[in-house]
Amino acid sequence: MSVINPPATGWRGKLRYRARVLLSEPTTLIGVLLIGAFAYLVIAPLVAIVSDAVRVQYGDDLRAGASVGSSTSYYLWRVFRSPISSDLFWEPFWHTLTVGIGVILFAVALGGSMAWLVTRTNVPGRKFLAGALVVPYMLPSWTFALAWLTLFKNGGSGGTPGYLESWGVTTPNWLAYGAVPMIVTLGLHYYPFVLLLFGNALRRMDSQLEESARVLGASRGQAMRSVVLPLLLPSLSSATLLIFGRVLGTFGTPYILGLPTDYSLLSTSLYRSIHTRSSGVAAVLAAVIVLLGVLVVLFDMRLVREQRRFVTIGGKGGMDRATDLRRWRWPAYGLGLGVFVVSVVVPLLTLLISTVTHTPGVFRADNFTLRFWLAADIPEAVGFPHGLLRGGELYEAMWNSVRIVGTSALLCGLLGLLVGYVVARSGSPRISGLLRQVSFLPYLVPGIAFAAAYLTLFAVPRGPIPALYGTVTLLVLVMVVTHLPYSSRSGIAAMMQLGKEPEEAAQVVGAGWFRRLWRIVVPIQKGSLATGVILPFISGIKELSIVIMLATAGMPLLTTLSIHLVDYGYTQQANAAVLVIAVVSFAVTYLAQRATRSSLASGLGG
C-alpha cells in the first residue's frame, strides 16, 4: 500500500505533504476544476446574453441615445413596446404558443393511443410495433417538414413544384405553410416521446385496477377516465411540458415551413435578428426563450415531486393482463402499421422519389434521373452545380460532422464519467451537489438560445480567451455542454452502483489515482461510458438548432449543408442531404444498440 509520510517540518514540507495527499486522492481538486470550467461554459454565456440585452451595442448608440456599453432599456422597449414589437416578439410568441399547444395535442393523442395499443392489448406484432413506432424520433425533425413541402408545396415559393401541384392541384397556403403543417410534422416527430413515457407508465400499472372498476359496473370508457387517465397524469404532464420545451428551441421545421409566408416562431425571429446584426434584440429574444425553457423544466420538476400521489407499484404484487381486442386485433394492428407508414415510410419515400425525378410527382420513365445524386453538371443550379455525391461539399460536411460530433461525444462521455466519479466519491456534499446541479443546467436552456448565448460570449476576445467564432473548438464546446446533462446523469447513475472496494484493493498494492481510474473504473464502467459517448453522437449528428448560428460557410456540417440547399431552392439536393443524415443516424443507432445490447423499444416490451 502506498504510504504518505507525515508532514515534514517547515512550510515547504507541509506544502509537499498536502500536494501528495491531494494527488493521491484528487477527487475534491477535480470537482473544483470541473465546477469552475462548467461555470464558465454554462453560466457565463447566459450572463453575457442578459448583459447584452441591457447594454448599448455597437452601431446602436444614436438610436439608443447613449454611448456604446452603457446601460439601456432600449432593446426591451424595442422588443416589447415599439411599433415593430409585433413583428419582433408578439406574433412569434403567439405563433409559438399555438404551434406548441397543437403539437402537444397531436403528439399526446397519437402517442398515447399507440402506447395503450402496444402495452395493454393483445394486438398482433406488439414487438415489431413497439420498435417501429419510435423510429420517427431517430430522424431529424425537419425531415418531415421537407417531405411535407415536397408533397404540398404551391406556387407561393420558388423552386421545383410539389407533388400535388404537378398533378394540377393547387394547395392553399394554410395547408402548404404555417401552423398546420408545423403541428402535423412536429407532432409526427415527437409522438414517440409520448409513446415511451406513457408506455412505461402503463406497463407499471396494475391491470387489476381496471378490472376492479369493471366488476363494480364501470364501462370501459369510465374505467379509462376514472382509473387509467388519473394515474397517467405525471407522464402526461412531463410529456406536454417537455414537448413544449423542445418546440420552443426547434429551428429547422419553423424555418422551412414558415419562411414562405413569414410565419415566424420565437426561434426563427431570433435567427433573423442575429442575421440582421440586431444583437441587442437577439439578446432579449434569447433571454425570453431561456426564461420560458427554465420555467417549463422547473414546473415539470415540481410536478415530478408530486408523483407519490400517483404510485402504481407498491409492496403488493400486480398483474399485466392485456385487454383482449377480439375481432379488432387485426384492424388495430393495421392502425399501428398505418401510423408507422405515415410517420416513416411516406416521408422517406417522398424524399427519395423526389431526388430521382426531374419534376416531383411525375412518374413517366423519361422523368426519372440520378442527376441530383451523380451528375457532374447541373446548369440551372448555379449555387450547387452538380449532384450531391459529386464535388467535395458533401464529403467535407460529412468529415466535419463526424470529427466535430465524434470529438464532442467522446469528451462528453469522459466528462460524464468523471462527473459521476466526483459526485459518488467526493467527501464534500457541497462540491458533489453543486457539480450535479451545474452539469444539469444546460438541460433548462433551449438549443437555439444556447447557441445565441455562445455566439455572444465567444464572438469577440474576452481576457485570455480568444474569439472562437468559426472554429472547430467552439462547435465542440457547445455540443459537449448541451449534451452534458445526459452523459453526466448516465455517469452518476453508473458510479453510484460501483463500490469503493475495487479501488481500495488497488490502492493497497500501490496504484495511484490515475492508474486506478484507467485500469479499474473505466473497464468496469465501459458500458456506461459507451452509452455516454454514443447517445450524444446520435443526437449531435442530426443537430441543427445549436449549430445553425455557429457553423460558418467555411466549415459546413451535414445539417447546415442541407438547410443551405433549402435556402438556394435546390429541393432535390436538400432532400438527398437529409436522406444521407437519416442513413448515418439509423446506422449509428443500430450499431449502438448492438454494441450496448439495448433497445429503445425494450421499455415497451419489444
Side-chain angles (χ1 to χ4, degrees), residues 553-570:
M555 191 182 299
L557 305 179
L558 282 173
T559 49
T560 57
L561 173 66
S562 66
I563 212 72
H564 289 152
L565 290 171
V566 172
D567 286 338
Y568 285 131
Y570 305 150

Side-chain angles (χ1 to χ4, degrees), residues 120-132:
R120 303 297 293 231
T121 71
N122 61 344
V123 63
R126 289 173 61 178
K127 184 176 181 180
F128 166 74
L129 289 177

Side-chain angles (χ1 to χ4, degrees), residues 529-584:
L529 181 61
T531 303
V533 172
I534 292 169
L535 288 181
F537 187 90
I538 295 171
S539 178
I541 202 73
K542 57 181 184 173
E543 183 61 65
L544 177 62
S545 302
I546 294 173
V547 302
I548 186 64
M549 296 185 191
L550 303 176
T552 61
M555 191 182 299
L557 305 179
L558 282 173
T559 49
T560 57
L561 173 66
S562 66
I563 212 72
H564 289 152
L565 290 171
V566 172
D567 286 338
Y568 285 131
Y570 305 150
T571 306
Q572 283 96 335
Q573 289 106 316
N575 293 347
V578 171
L579 287 175
V580 170
I581 297 171
V583 168
V584 172

Side-chain angles (χ1 to χ4, degrees), residues 506-519:
Q507 198 170 8
V508 167
V509 296
W513 175 81
F514 184 78
R515 191 177 180 189
R516 299 198 306 269
L517 184 73
W518 186 249
R519 300 294 295 272

